[in-house]
Amino acid sequence: METFDLLMQGFSTAATPMNLLYAFIGVLLGTAVGVLPGIGPAMAVALLLPVTYALEPTSAFIMFAGIYYGGMFGGSTTSILLNTPGESATVITAIEGHKMAKAGRAAQALATAAIGSFVAGTIGTALLVAFTPMVVDFAVSLGSPSYLAIMVLALLAVTAVLGASKLRGFASLGLGLAIGLVGADKITGQQRLVFGQPLLVDGLDIVVVAVAIFAVGEALWIAAHLRRKPLSTIPVGRPWMGKQDWKRSWKPWLRGTAYGYPFGALPAGGAEVPTFLSYVTEKKLSKHPEEFGHGAIEGVAGPEAANNASAAGTLTPMLALGLPTNATAAVMLAAFTQYGIQPGPLLFDSEPELVWALIASLFIGNTLLLLINLPLAPVWAKLLQIPRPYLYAGILFFATLGAYAVNLQAFDLVLLLVLGALGFAMRRFGLPVLPLILGVILGPRVEEELRQSLQLSAGDPAGLFSEPIAVGTYILVALVLLLPLAISAFKRFRPQPQGVPAGAESRDEVSAAEARQGATVASGPRETIAGEYQQQHDHKEKP
């Protein structure tokens, strides 16, 4: 009851006309900045930090909360429309969201992202109010072995389910892990894969990598085929979600929320892991698994809900422990310090008005986000009617601007082009891009948790299994790796019906798989280009 009274006092503070105006401005600015490729909510909060010097702390943090939510939705907008993530947490949205947009369902993808953001943000904030002490105790109880096991599960689960070839998936993951190794070792200071370039000592920024692989790689791929296909605009399609879209979205919204909030509250959490796990879960549970990779609405609804639920969860360790779990929380922590406020266990007692007004503003900002962006979904979708040469020229411009704005280094533009060429080559040879991004994001964190686990156990590998959660997670890892092999072996050696030669069914299955793979390869870039060239050649030879 005391918590509810404090929350109502927070609403009375956050709902004043001036604070509502600051929340509205924050949502607008966050959405506008988030739409720019490479400029996410963390950068928006950092850029606006000097602007808030004249504001009192409560109003400043209410604006920051609006920027946070608005920036995340802006990042999903560019992921869906332009295949260009605004930040690492929206990388997963680009996979299914952009395929929906290319199929004329951009408005539905944007709408399910907006509604999912609202549902998950509201539930996540309510959980923040109700379960903060319990979640903090649980998060503090986990050690490095558990974090390591969870990250290994995320790496293997996503890599194993994407694409027709697991070999290509693990090859892409290897590229990502190699890119994640670039820079100085955090413990020994030893330089790795820097090739004598001092600007590589700090490693490669994930924003530069994501923008290059997705935006530049996609633009180069489209440019390579523009002259071989007629120039056409992408249809906008029906402006709102239909009954079937609602039916297929509401469960992923709830499941995504269940993933997002706990991971956001973990001191080593964040939004990347739950969005990846949400995508894997929806693919496994979907009644339409064949649509994944071609524009499944569940692949947008679940990850977007996980992304926004983790935003509320992120505030739990930041406010209660003074521990930021992502870049935006780190900037907000710097803002607290700027105002002479120390987040931690005593913050709820020393600054109750500010804390509860901030929490109440999350409800308000989340509602404003839905009211502003849901009616604009068809308007955003009409961006796809711009002819492709102009559209992708704009994408390259904003991608370059976003990559340069990260560190204000011209060297990042060189990296953008090199990694963009890598993204083009991956599309050319059929390598999925998501495992690469996942390897870049989680690779350094996996290495750090592995070292800490071994240091705690004095180098004994048994220390990796010293926590129950770690043991349970490794059992799941083994199931992910061995279960498909066991099912395949069972099908191969099970007794065959009378009259059917042994192994015939297996051969039929192999033949069917080879036929599907051949159809996939035949529809790939090499054969497509060759077929179109042959058609053009035959057309020229006709009298």
Side-chain angles (χ1 to χ4, degrees):
M1 197 64 178
E2 180 183 357
T3 300
F4 181 78
D5 293 337
L6 291 171
L7 181 61
M8 290 300 100
Q9 294 176 13
F11 270 109
S12 66
T13 302
T16 61
M18 285 305 298
N19 285 338
L20 285 176
L21 177 62
Y22 289 132
F24 180 78
I25 293 173
V27 169
L28 278 182
L29 290 177
T31 303
V33 172
V35 166
L36 298 177
I39 302 181
M43 189 175 298
V45 174
L47 291 174
L48 293 172
L49 189 59
V51 179
T52 62
Y53 284 162
L55 298 178
E56 56 98 13
T58 302
S59 299
F61 285 105
I62 287 174
M63 179 183 285
F64 288 159
I67 292 169
Y68 192 9
Y69 275 142
M72 285 189 298
F73 182 77
S76 67
T77 300
T78 57
S79 295
I80 291 169
L81 297 181
L82 307 178
N83 200 26
T84 307
E87 57 167 346
S88 58
T90 59
V91 165
I92 193 72
T93 307
I95 297 174
E96 301 298 333
H98 189 60
K99 292 291 176 60
M100 289 184 66
K102 293 175 72 174
R105 289 170 50 78
Q108 286 76 29
L110 291 170
T112 194
I115 299 172
S117 299
F118 172 76
V119 171
T122 302
I123 295 175
T125 307
L127 293 174
L128 169 67
V129 174
F131 298 111
T132 295
M134 188 185 309
V135 173
V136 168
D137 290 342
F138 174 73
V140 172
S141 68
L142 293 182
S144 294
S146 295
Y147 291 134
L148 174 64
I150 291 171
M151 292 178 190
V152 170
L153 175 63
L155 286 172
L156 295 180
V158 174
T159 302
V161 301
L162 286 180
S165 170
K166 291 182 174 59
L167 179 61
R168 292 179 180 178
F170 281 103
S172 177
L173 177 63
L175 288 173
L177 294 174
I179 293 174
L181 288 175
V182 174
D185 187 291
K186 293 183 179 180
I187 297 179
T188 65
Q190 180 70 35
Q191 296 182 3
R192 303 180 299 190
L193 301 178
V194 299
F195 306 106
Q197 176 55 253
L199 294 175
L200 288 177
V201 172
D202 292 332
L204 300 181
D205 194 280
I206 181 57
V207 171
V208 176
V209 177
V211 169
I213 296 295
F214 278 91
V216 179
E218 179 78 7
L220 292 176
W221 180 251
I222 294 297
H225 295 82
L226 275 179
R227 294 188 180 275
R228 306 181 187 277
K229 296 180 181 178
L231 294 178
S232 61
T233 57
I234 299 173
V236 173
R238 195 175 65 244
W240 302 112
M241 292 174 64
K243 181 179 179 181
Q244 190 67 17
D245 295 327
W246 283 91
K247 184 178 179 181
R248 293 176 58 179
S249 295
W250 72 271
K251 289 182 180 178
W253 290 337
L254 298 180
R255 284 192 289 261
T257 303
Y259 273 125
Y261 179 79
F263 274 94
L266 292 174
E272 293 85 0
V273 174
T275 55
F276 292 130
L277 293 179
S278 174
Y279 181 81
V280 174
T281 301
E282 297 310 321
K283 185 173 182 179
K284 290 292 185 184
L285 299 180
S286 176
K287 296 180 180 178
H288 308 276
E290 72 281 355
E291 293 186 15
F292 278 78
H294 303 282
I297 194 169
E298 297 93 336
V300 178
E304 275 302 301
N307 183 18
N308 281 267
S310 70
T314 295
L315 294 178
T316 301
M318 191 198 75
L319 295 176
L321 302 175
L323 180 64
T325 61
N326 61 16
T328 308
V331 175
M332 293 182 73
L333 185 65
F336 273 104
T337 306
Q338 166 194 310
Y339 286 104
I341 300 171
Q342 180 60 48
L346 300 179
L347 180 63
F348 283 79
D349 295 328
S350 60
E351 298 285 347
E353 182 179 353
L354 185 149
V355 172
W356 290 104
L358 173 62
I359 294 174
S361 71
L362 295 177
F363 288 102
I364 295 173
N366 206 26
T367 305
L368 289 174
L369 184 70
L370 181 68
L371 295 177
I372 292 172
N373 287 292
L374 190 58
L376 291 178
V379 178
W380 287 116
K382 288 183 179 179
L383 290 174
L384 294 174
Q385 293 186 315
I386 301 173
R388 285 187 295 172
Y390 305 109
L391 179 63
Y392 282 94
I395 291 175
L396 287 176
F397 171 77
F398 285 112
T400 303
L401 177 65
Y404 182 75
V406 173
N407 298 310
L408 299 179
Q409 291 283 351
F411 182 70
D412 284 341
L413 302 182
V414 178
L415 294 176
L416 188 73
L417 293 176
V418 173
L419 294 173
L422 175 62
F424 172 81
M426 293 178 68
R427 287 167 172 80
R428 173 65 182 81
F429 295 104
L431 271 67
V433 298
L434 181 58
L436 182 145
I437 299 296
L438 183 60
V440 175
I441 294 172
L442 294 185
R445 296 168 63 182
V446 167
E447 180 187 17
E448 182 179 354
E449 298 297 342
L450 175 62
R451 286 187 168 185
Q452 290 183 2
S453 300
L454 293 176
Q455 286 175 347
L456 291 173
S457 63
D460 185 0
L464 301 177
F465 308 94
S466 59
E467 298 182 2
I469 292 180
V471 174
T473 306
Y474 284 124
I475 292 175
L476 291 178
V477 169
L479 291 176
V480 168
L481 293 177
L482 299 179
L483 190 59
L485 297 176
I487 293 175
S488 177
F490 173 75
K491 289 181 177 180
R492 183 176 296 118
F493 295 109
R494 69 180 176 180
Q496 301 297 321
Q498 188 175 3
V500 179
E505 184 177 347
S506 298
R507 287 197 298 270
D508 290 342
E509 291 175 356
V510 172
S511 300
E514 290 176 348
R516 288 194 297 270
Q517 186 175 2
T520 303
V521 173
S523 62
R526 182 184 305 169
E527 285 72 15
T528 301
I529 295 172
E532 291 170 355
Y533 175 82
Q534 185 64 40
Q535 291 176 5
Q536 294 173 3
H537 183 70
D538 294 342
H539 179 72
K540 289 179 181 179
E541 291 184 349
K542 287 183 180 180

